[in-house]
Amino acid sequence: MHTKPTETIMLAQLKTPLTPPTTSLAPTLRRWYMIVNGNQHRPDLCAAQPGFTKPFMLSEALIPQVRTVACLIAAERLAFDAPTPEHITTEADWFAARILVLGVKVFHLDVTLIPMMKSANQRAQAFARKHGLPFTPAQMRMSLHAGRPQQMLVMETDDSGHNDIGLVGNSLALRRQIATRHHLLQA
């Protein structure tokens, strides 16, 4: 497969760990509340629900690396001798991209999403293996969504010492951290 320069940059960034490894046996995890408003395969998730605020919120739309990797993962399944489907990415592609780009260790999801999570880990592992990227499978904690907007994803990553600087500030800081891992793409 021919790799374009922008894809090469993205793959190089993913090869550099987001945070340095910790020496403790049980790493400290940071819980993030991410608005998945960039997840266009599910238009029902894009409806605004104002008034929901938590510490350490993120906006996926402000972290374009997730979309790029989700599309690259999905593109590997496309049959170029057939018409392009209306929706290229699936929910599992987006979760696989979040695992690889954000280093998500735990997703808090409804029990009905176990098969999707299994597919996401498999896709992330296959993509990581093919491109020489680090991979650690994400785990799933059963979670009820009562009181939480539908477009809100609760996830945990290694704690890199971020301070909570609001939805936009957190998103841009994480975006810059991802982009500067390899110093090739500045956010």
Side-chain angles (χ1 to χ4, degrees), residues 33-99:
Y33 295 86
M34 186 165 70
I35 299 171
V36 290
N37 51 356
N39 205 349
Q40 293 300 315
H41 78 280
R42 291 279 309 273
D44 59 307
L45 298 179
C46 299
Q49 289 184 324
F52 184 87
T53 58
K54 290 279 189 181
F56 296 99
M57 289 184 69
L58 296 169
S59 171
E60 187 168 73
L62 294 175
I63 307 171
Q65 296 95 330
V66 175
R67 174 183 301 280
T68 301
V69 173
C71 290
L72 289 172
I73 291 169
E76 291 187 353
R77 291 190 316 278
L78 288 179
F80 292 104
D81 58 347
T84 303
E86 183 178 340
H87 297 283
I88 296 172
T89 60
T90 66
E91 191 167 34
D93 296 322
W94 284 85
F95 275 84
R98 293 169 185 137
I99 293 166

Side-chain angles (χ1 to χ4, degrees), residues 3-184:
T3 306
K4 296 177 183 170
T6 55
E7 293 171 7
T8 302
I9 291 169
M10 179 60 66
L11 293 173
Q13 288 176 322
L14 290 174
K15 289 181 182 180
T16 308
L18 184 60
T19 55
T22 58
T23 55
S24 68
L25 295 175
T28 303
L29 298 178
R30 162 72 60 217
R31 181 173 290 182
W32 296 99
Y33 295 86
M34 186 165 70
I35 299 171
V36 290
N37 51 356
N39 205 349
Q40 293 300 315
H41 78 280
R42 291 279 309 273
D44 59 307
L45 298 179
C46 299
Q49 289 184 324
F52 184 87
T53 58
K54 290 279 189 181
F56 296 99
M57 289 184 69
L58 296 169
S59 171
E60 187 168 73
L62 294 175
I63 307 171
Q65 296 95 330
V66 175
R67 174 183 301 280
T68 301
V69 173
C71 290
L72 289 172
I73 291 169
E76 291 187 353
R77 291 190 316 278
L78 288 179
F80 292 104
D81 58 347
T84 303
E86 183 178 340
H87 297 283
I88 296 172
T89 60
T90 66
E91 191 167 34
D93 296 322
W94 284 85
F95 275 84
R98 293 169 185 137
I99 293 166
L100 294 172
V101 174
L102 303 173
V104 177
K105 305 292 186 213
V106 177
F107 289 104
H108 295 254
L109 300 170
D110 186 88
V111 67
T112 60
L113 295 175
I114 290 173
M116 183 281 305
M117 193 67 230
K118 182 178 178 184
S119 292
N121 273 316
Q122 289 170 343
R123 290 179 189 180
Q125 182 177 29
F127 189 83
R129 184 181 306 122
K130 181 176 181 178
H131 297 286
L133 304 171
F135 171 73
T136 302
Q139 297 177 16
M140 183 175 145
R141 290 204 182 119
M142 306 315 162
S143 175
L144 297 176
H145 292 271
R148 182 182 343 153
Q150 285 188 28
Q151 79 271 18
M152 184 66 57
L153 177 62
V154 179
M155 60 189 188
E156 297 179 29
T157 64
D158 287 334
D159 188 358
S160 59
H162 280 279
N163 291 320
D164 182 21
I165 51 178
L167 174 71
V168 173
N170 291 336
S171 302
L172 294 178
L174 190 55
R175 174 182 165 173
R176 281 189 298 274
Q177 183 181 6
I178 293 165
T180 59
R181 283 186 292 167
H182 197 268
H183 303 292
L184 291 177

